[in-house]
Amino acid sequence: MSVASIVFGVLFCVATVVLLGGLALRIADYARTPAPLKIPTTPAPVTRGGVVLRMVREVVFFESLFKGSLWTWLFGWLFHASLALVLARHLRYFTEPVWGWVVLVQPLGILAGFGMVAGLAGLLVRRFAVERIRYISTPSDYLMLVLLLAIAVSGLAMKYLAPTDVVGVKKFFLGLMYFDWQPLPADGVLYLHLALVAALMIVFPFSKLLHAPGVFFSPSRNQVDNPREARHLAPWAAKLDRS
Ligand code: HEM
């Protein structure tokens, strides 16, 4: 077993624990955070079913971003939709036998690699080119875009410039999942792709990328607009109310 195989094996175990453990703690924190006020962004649905529908439109189509800024929506949606396809395509490295729908999505997943790059490039140019966005941009805003871009470009490089041993990659990751360690193919571009992915997994629970689980806990999106029909009481206020 090469040193690189051991280093990447340990790195991915650590990254997985940090990602899953960190996300679980964050989500528990979000779930416990009180929402003392009724503040759905109006016009808002007046029933629970309506709220679910609104949330689905928000998560799948980025509805409020569409209404807010067409260019940001275009690049943002292109990036996220492409990312979903790319991740679906990657499932082949972690499943045996590969599920039917993952086989079907393979060609789309490659196209999506380019979609990801185009979307991220657009979002990066926006941070530099739009004066008011440049003013509020922090190093982490740039860093996340550059990290994701580097992951996509190194992935595409393996597909088109320096093909890697994908069967070996799959053996390595299945081996990690089933505690039967296998060597990782020795390949510089693969090392780069994987190191960047591990970095992404480790920073995820501490970064702005938490907007992914966070959107579901946003009171302005997940509340029913019924302040006249039902009195809104946060749990701590309910306690005061009784005393
Ligand atoms: C442990 C996780 C990952 C492994 C083992 C992995 C491995 C690979 C491999 C072997 C390729 C080359 C595919 C080929 O030659 O057909 C590739 C391509 C690619 N990867 Fe990853 N990758 C991982 C995670 C990610 C993540 C999280 C992203 C995005 C954020 C990503 C984005 C891409 C893209 C855009 C391509 C090019 C398009 C494609 O072939 O699907 N990868 N990856």
Side-chain angles (χ1 to χ4, degrees), residues 146-233:
V146 170
L147 179 60
L148 287 161
L149 251 181
I151 293 176
V153 170
S154 56
L156 286 167
M158 276 188 288
K159 179 78 196 149
Y160 293 103
L161 302 177
T164 194
D165 170 9
V166 288
V167 177
V169 174
K170 175 166 184 159
K171 276 194 185 142
F172 174 80
F173 278 97
L174 283 179
L176 274 189
M177 286 164 60
Y178 294 102
F179 302 105
D180 168 26
W181 285 32
Q182 303 292 322
L184 180 69
D187 172 348
V189 187
L190 176 65
Y191 289 170
L192 177 66
H193 191 65
L194 294 184
L196 293 169
V197 169
L200 179 69
M201 291 166 74
I202 290 169
V203 298
F204 200 105
F206 311 97
S207 72
K208 61 182 282 188
L209 304 181
L210 283 167
H211 66 270
V215 65
F216 297 99
F217 295 93
S218 165
S220 60
R221 302 260 164 259
N222 70 14
Q223 289 186 343
V224 183
D225 187 10
N226 61 352
R228 286 183 183 77
E229 293 75 12
R231 186 167 174 219
H232 178 76
L233 270 182

